[in-house]
Amino acid sequence: MAPAVPLAVLALAALVAPGLGVAPGCDSPAHRWCSSRDVAAACQVESRCPSLPHPTAAPVQLSLYYESLCPACREFLVLKLFPTWLLLPEEMLNITLVPYGNAQERNVSGKLDFECQHGPEECLGNMMEACLMHEAQNFSTYFPVIFCLESGSSVTKNLEARPPVPCARQCLKIYAPEVDSGRIAACVQGDTGVALMHHNAQVTEALDPPHQYVPWITVNGKHTDELQAQAEASLLGLVCHLYQ
């Protein structure tokens, strides 16, 4: 005795083509029509297959161009960007951090050098965070460390992770103990750190329109005064509005 065909499948067949016919392009038997989104599309029954997984929308792309010691940059990163990232599922928001801002790149006797708006300490902070990103690679690993650095009293000293530094300043030890602080130090002191800052300089200088201040925020590759204002006023609301 042949197995019974579920009534729901029979109903689908009747709706798609009278007389249990097959939709054009559908080469699957009726009981397989809801087995995958591709099959359902070929058989023109997607709307009648509630169990099909819905495709994930592309995440909102947000890039933050900032300086490590810029007060407004630190405020946005600590009070707006990091909390929003914590609240949203990973697939909704993709963040790129570019520590450079209003710095100036110079060629001094054949070697690249950088001059920063808030002095040498900021250049060091920018390079430390760039090296941290380079060594950690995974955003979910390095972003909490950068949050810790930027929310403390001293960005450049907060990366230390050895006594007698207070626990509140041991950002790397607390948030990413698997990352080797020695490799970050070597990056900062060597050619890799310079190359990373050169890359950040090029990316920042290529902005269209050119950045006029920091923090400078782009959303899905675009910057407008309206997007900047919305991001600073309610970043969570902006991302939720833009996520399709």
Side-chain angles (χ1 to χ4, degrees), residues 64-68 73 98-104 117 122 126 197 200-201 204-205 207 211 213-216:
L64 174 64
Y65 298 82
Y66 72 105
E67 299 166 351
S68 62
C73 300
V98 185
Y100 187 80
N102 296 323
Q104 297 293 321
Q117 184 174 2
E122 180 169 80
N126 291 344
M197 293 313 300
N200 286 357
T204 302
E205 290 168 5
L207 284 167
H211 88 283
Y213 48 80
V214 286
W216 187 262

Side-chain angles (χ1 to χ4, degrees), residues 42-54:
C43 297
Q44 302 177 16
V45 294
E46 286 179 285
S47 63
R48 302 186 183 280
C49 296
S51 62
L52 286 176
H54 294 286

Side-chain angles (χ1 to χ4, degrees), residues 109-130:
S109 302
K111 293 185 177 181
L112 291 179
D113 187 40
F114 302 93
E115 184 175 332
C116 296
Q117 184 174 2
H118 298 91
E121 190 78 1
E122 180 169 80
C123 283
L124 175 59
N126 291 344
M127 190 176 291
M128 284 172 57
E129 294 185 5

